[in-house]
Amino acid sequence: MATTLPEPVPVTVGTAELLQDLYGGYAALRASAPVQRIVGPDGLPFWLVTRYQDVRELLADPRLSFDRRNAVPGNYRGLALPPALDANLLNMDPPDHTRIRRLVSQAFTPRRIEQLRAPVQRTADELLDRIEPLGRADLVADYAGPFPIALICDLLGVAAEDRRDFRAWTDAIITPDPAQPQQAKAAVAGMLEFFARLIARKRAEPGDDLLAAMITARDEGDRLSEDELTSLAFLILFAGYENTVQLIGNSVLALLDHPEQLAELRRDPRLLPAAVEELTRYDTPAPLAIRRFPLVDVTVGDVTIPAGETVLLALGSANRDPDHYDRPDQLDLHRRDGAHLSLGHGIHYCIGAPLARMETGIALATLLRRFPDLALDVPRDALRRRPSIRARGLLALPVRF
């Protein structure tokens, strides 16, 4: 018997309202429609799940597939990528996901991550050296943006002269210019060609970097395919760049908005690890987890989501759920009431989480130590965020010091 779907219209809040007031919109949905089918910016419907317990359970639910071949035909429209960039962990279920994640995990060892600490610190200092004499800067363009690109290139063994291309390609795909639709296609083509050449060179001249380690890693004698290798390099670039840029910017703004906690963090740097966790919870750079498609009808609370429908789990909403957190809308560097979901949960938990924590901690600690009088250089209400419900970040963060 066919399942009758509710009309895909917002009951309490829609995507336009979420863009205006993300956390206020999430609060309204949690209270009255915690599992709601609404229309996305692309005109297609999706199910939005907003309460902490539901989100956490569904993040680890094997009945929800990452493979878009399980989507209802015509119900999902994602970024069109060639197979050589599309065979990545964000599109896979077990057993392929298990096999590839195990291979990548061998390359993301604690020793390899620790080896990156010195170059990450050097990058932070070099970027601040450039802007320090100016007395003011845009922390998104001058610090948060170039910072993760340097790390990703170190991870993948990419030469310094190619880093500008990486940032331009990523920006063109993540924030495409409607007036220049060919830019994104050109960026995809450029990245595909670049990664193919890079992998061929790494095979011929192996180095001590993540990409070389992935090439040589084995799982019961099987190597990664060419498409899987290229797609993993592409995924590392996107996940490592986009989320880190937004997290650094969001974190600096949150601390400037809470001067007493900023002062406490400066007085006691031992608070830094807890601060990184709380800042990641408080204003996550990725409010929505990657889309999922139920393999069977799945009931959440009193709502049944039909098989094949697109499901988005609202990490940003779960992180502010008062049923799980005390005073969830307040920044509290001493918070002890439960882990956030910004990095996921279950088998798809962010494999680069330790690296992201280390990178963000160094970026913040170095900035606060070197610029003790850091302050906004524009009125607070002049700041603008990216017009996206999927990526939460600032377009610019002008500061003076």
Side-chain angles (χ1 to χ4, degrees), residues 250-306:
N250 292 351
S251 297
V252 173
L253 178 59
L255 289 170
L256 292 175
D257 282 342
H258 298 80
E260 292 182 0
Q261 297 196 55
L262 172 57
E264 185 180 9
L265 182 57
R266 282 201 169 105
R267 288 193 305 269
D268 187 3
R270 292 174 300 178
L271 276 175
L272 186 64
V276 170
E277 295 305 308
E278 172 65 352
L279 290 162
T280 305
R281 178 204 70 86
Y282 180 75
D283 202 6
T284 181
L288 299 174
I290 190 72
R291 78 287 177 274
R292 288 160 163 81
F293 311 102
L295 298 173
V296 296
D297 290 0
V298 172
T299 299
V300 185
D302 59 358
V303 175
T304 296
I305 302 175

Side-chain angles (χ1 to χ4, degrees), residues 59-75:
L59 283 170
D61 193 328
R63 296 175 299 170
L64 270 62
S65 170
F66 271 38
D67 191 337
R68 56 190 168 204
R69 289 176 296 184
N70 292 312
V72 172
N75 185 253

